Amino acid sequence: MIFLGWRSTPAFVDPIFRNEGFRLFRIGSSIPTSLQSRTRASSAIPAIPFQASPTPDVIFRKNSKRQFLPIECKTSSFGPLTEQAKQAASLLTCTGTRIAEVLGAPNPKTWSSTLLYAVGGASTIQMEKTLSNLAKRLGSVNVDTTTYGVMGIRIEPDGVYLHTNQSSAIPLTALKSGPPGIRIMKLEKGEDPRPLYLIPLDSSCRIDEDYQRRALEERVRIGLASLIGSQLNRKEFGFDVDDLMRATIEVWTVWGEQNAKDFVKNAVRNYARGVFRYLRKLGIFIEVYQERITFKNISPAIATQIRNYLSSAAFRRGEIDLVSQSVQMDFSSLSEGW
Amino acid sequence: MSESSGFESREAVYDYLDSYAFERREEIDRRNLATGLIKTYVLETSPAQDPLDIPALLNSTGWRNFPVGDENIFVVHDNEGEIGFIEAISSRYLMFHTYRQTDRADEIAKRWVRNTTELDSLWLAGEYFSVLWETIILPQMPERFVSFKFEHEARFEDNISQLEESDDPESDDWNADEITERRASTSSITERAQRIGQFLPSLQSHHPAFKAIKMLRIPAAARGGYEFWSWGKVTHRSPNFREGREQILSVTQLYAQATQLIEKIMWMQVDSVNLKDGEAISLRGSPLVLEFSQSLSSETFQNFIAVTFERGRGPLRLWGNPIWLSENKVHIYGIDLHLWQRIYFEISPRRMIVILPEGTCGNTVHRLMTNIQRYVDPGVKMSVGDVDYRDLVRDTLLGKTNDANSIYADPSISN
């Protein structure tokens, strides 16, 4: 989704959102719902499932038309009585005015919004039925809802296609055709459609798939190598553990739940600890005090050895375990610390 | 007695080099080049330093340096004596002037860059040279003699599976001259500019290797010229050092402006905003897209990934652990070994997508273009976001990037 709002050439991705004036506005921002909406939803019989503060995956914005486009991506559709329906019902109450008020856009009453669910191409009809069901039920208890639409994502042999129904309320002209829709990325035969993960973890810091795990591992590896390798010209340098986390996940500082972040941080510390153990053998002095890591005693010869190691096959093949419970230990009591 | 530079001011250094250049020209005319021509190597630091700390950058060399006045210009010596002069020309760029013989001078400069993680060369890609040629030389100097050198070497078409993976950086068979049997094109042209302008486009359309420009000689005002090489070296083949320095300064300033614009467009940056209930974020940036003129063969593609990333060898000096999504698509969250900065790749036989995290030097883009044209595909097309690289350089040269109505003036240029 992010690439659809960035400047790009169609040789990679056709940025249809950007082409129609939409810009990426927010990632993972929650939109608190009103007390009235929550109360009325719970007063329905049966109660309409509801979340106090739903978080769409991304929100696009078109300033010239004062339009928001909150987007939630799902691998498949879901029914109106499922757990996922809570978020959907809540998002349906997030009108343009509501979003503008919460996120601080000027003149909130002048803003409109269309909620967009992006699902697999075969799930669009069912998804529309679910949203329609929820919207009707919310309307029946006097809860204002926003316009909404469903965008299907189809992976065809020659590319990735997006489509909506022609009568859809989604304010994107390029999408207004039935299947197969508009090709936003060309694929060669047998090509995997997944693009680079700009954000390797969702805000819960959950690792759901093998590629995601690998991407995060490699980011940890090169984050550490970059922080060390780029400063070896100095006799002494240092960085904080949070610097390492930011070198791994650019959105780290503002990302995710604290417990989940601590989990990932401990795993990264454990990996770094193993690397430091090897670097010490090369003659460098590494001191760790609280969250600060300092490297000392760096001569040109040692710097060369360390750079050679950090670009070696041995370093490249070094295992990084980010998921096992066994690595989630507190190292503060260990005599060797780091 | 303490040693000093022997020069009182920057002006004194330029006077000395002007005299030196004049004497060399007379020697060339007499076909008697007893000592080397002046070579200037333009280098870039990352991050920028204000002021540029030249002595600190020399830590890895062992050279002795002597300041000339207080103008951030130094005379440098090694064990063999005086090497030349190093001057800061901005907070990010410096010039290294030397008159050592070419092979020795090149070796000195390359070793200095290789051993200093804050330093990189200026990288002038074929497309960059083409803008200088089409926009400056051809229209303004049609009657002057101009020289081009072209070089393309299909290095990754070799069967490199025989090469063992080694952690010993000295066992770099990649650079060995013994590997010669591969598709390569090396040509030179010296002719009047107007004449070259008539046949070069046709040459390039029939044989794309003529797009991989390795050297372009820009004529001097009077006689001779200045040979700009793809890796930031300039050979002064003119009796006027100051004029050459001015040309180098102009090319470097254009390069600097283009690099800054590339960073502005491309850098993946997190924007965070404080709200009542916490922080909200957005993510800005744009990809670099290199589209190969023809899909790489499977062997070339596999070799390119193996040599460049898995072994960290070869001319691109990149490193990373490839994640194979399929046999014809790979993701690499990697490092640029010039400056040890992070850089992310998606590579297939058809194209290369590059993401620059914030802080990674935009110089990387110029370097990629230079080396991809030279060693992989001379006909590659590169876009910075949605702007063609060549157009970006040309628009920068013509001052169009400052135009309030241009695509570069989009207030959310990366968003």
Side-chain angles (χ1 to χ4, degrees), chain B residues 80-360:
Chain B
E80 295 174 26
E82 186 177 288
I83 306 171
F85 307 88
I86 298 174
E87 58 166 324
I89 55 174
S90 73
S91 61
R92 200 165 166 177
Y93 296 89
L94 55 95
M95 289 190 197
F96 168 37
H97 311 291
T98 180
Y99 26 74
R100 288 264 170 102
Q101 293 291 345
T102 293
D103 288 349
R104 186 81 185 107
D106 287 355
E107 186 192 334
I108 286 171
K110 283 179 180 173
R111 190 181 311 124
W112 182 22
V113 170
R114 188 178 276 264
N115 291 338
T116 309
T117 54
E118 292 120 325
L119 276 186
D120 196 2
S121 303
L122 220 67
W123 291 95
L124 305 176
E127 293 289 83
Y128 190 99
F129 277 133
S130 293
V131 171
L132 299 180
W133 159 246
E134 290 166 2
T135 317
I136 300 175
I137 300 174
L138 189 52
Q140 296 176 31
M141 311 169 192
E143 293 303 318
R144 296 296 305 277
F145 278 95
V146 175
S147 291
F148 283 83
K149 278 196 200 305
F150 308 90
E151 186 169 293
H152 170 65
E153 200 179 342
R155 285 214 175 176
F156 297 98
E157 292 181 5
D158 284 344
N159 181 5
I160 53 90
S161 61
Q162 313 298 331
L163 292 172
E164 290 183 6
E165 187 164 4
S166 167
D167 286 337
D168 178 4
E170 297 303 317
S171 70
D172 195 343
D173 295 305
W174 185 260
N175 292 326
D177 290 331
E178 296 89 58
I179 304 174
T180 55
E181 291 291 320
R182 63 172 72 93
R183 190 166 60 88
S185 288
T186 305
S187 315
S188 298
I189 297 174
T190 299
E191 182 50 271
R192 294 193 193 276
Q194 196 171 44
R195 183 85 183 92
I196 296 177
Q198 288 166 352
F199 64 71
L200 186 59
S202 178
L203 268 182
Q204 289 175 328
S205 72
H206 284 95
H207 191 48
F210 282 104
K211 295 180 182 178
I213 302 169
K214 185 179 175 184
M215 186 279 290
L216 172 65
R217 182 153 87 183
I218 301 177
R223 46 197 295 225
Y226 305 95
E227 294 179 347
F228 284 76
W229 294 80
S230 61
W231 56 288
K233 168 187 166 182
V234 182
T235 306
H236 296 245
R237 290 190 185 274
S238 164
N240 192 327
F241 166 77
R242 276 183 164 89
E243 183 195 343
R245 184 184 175 278
E246 187 52 40
Q247 280 201 10
I248 299 169
L249 204 57
S250 296
V251 170
T252 305
Q253 282 168 348
L254 167 63
Y255 187 92
Q257 287 162 359
T259 303
Q260 276 189 316
L261 186 55
I262 287 168
E263 289 168 353
K264 192 175 170 190
I265 294 173
M266 281 195 67
W267 271 356
M268 185 170 70
Q269 303 180 66
V270 178
D271 290 333
S272 64
V273 176
N274 285 326
L275 301 177
K276 275 189 299 191
D277 297 330
E279 279 185 275
I281 65 165
S282 183
L283 199 62
R284 282 192 282 149
S286 294
L288 183 74
V289 182
L290 290 98
E291 201 178 355
F292 300 123
S293 58
Q294 287 182 318
S295 278
L296 305 179
S297 71
S298 177
E299 186 174 20
T300 301
F301 175 62
Q302 302 279 339
N303 289 345
F304 176 64
I305 301 301
V307 172
T308 301
F309 294 100
E310 290 176 354
R311 301 176 193 189
R313 301 281 184 258
L316 274 75
R317 298 202 68 217
L318 299 166
W319 185 89
N321 212 0
I323 303 173
W324 289 91
L325 280 76
S326 61
E327 67 172 8
N328 60 0
K329 186 165 178 175
V330 66
H331 284 176
I332 300 151
Y333 298 92
I335 286 182
D336 173 349
L337 292 177
H338 287 84
L339 299 168
W340 285 82
Q341 294 173 335
R342 292 169 292 129
I343 178 169
Y344 308 148
F345 293 90
E346 172 181 296
I347 307 176
S348 72
R350 188 166 49 90
R351 67 182 185 209
M352 182 187 287
I353 312 298
V354 182
I355 301 291
L356 288 191
E358 184 181 6
T360 296

Side-chain angles (χ1 to χ4, degrees), chain A residues 73-135:
Chain A
C73 302
K74 297 292 182 196
T75 50
S76 62
S77 62
F78 50 87
L81 300 176
T82 60
E83 185 66 22
Q84 289 160 310
K86 278 186 186 176
Q87 182 194 42
S90 314
L91 285 174
L92 281 167
T93 71
C94 295
T95 60
T97 300
R98 181 103 206 116
I99 296 174
E101 277 172 348
V102 168
L103 298 183
N107 300 316
K109 288 187 178 152
T110 62
W111 288 82
S112 64
S113 177
T114 303
L115 172 65
L116 175 58
Y117 262 79
V119 295
S123 305
T124 54
I125 294 174
Q126 191 55 50
M127 193 67 235
E128 283 194 16
K129 284 183 182 169
T130 296
L131 293 177
S132 174
N133 177 287
L134 290 170

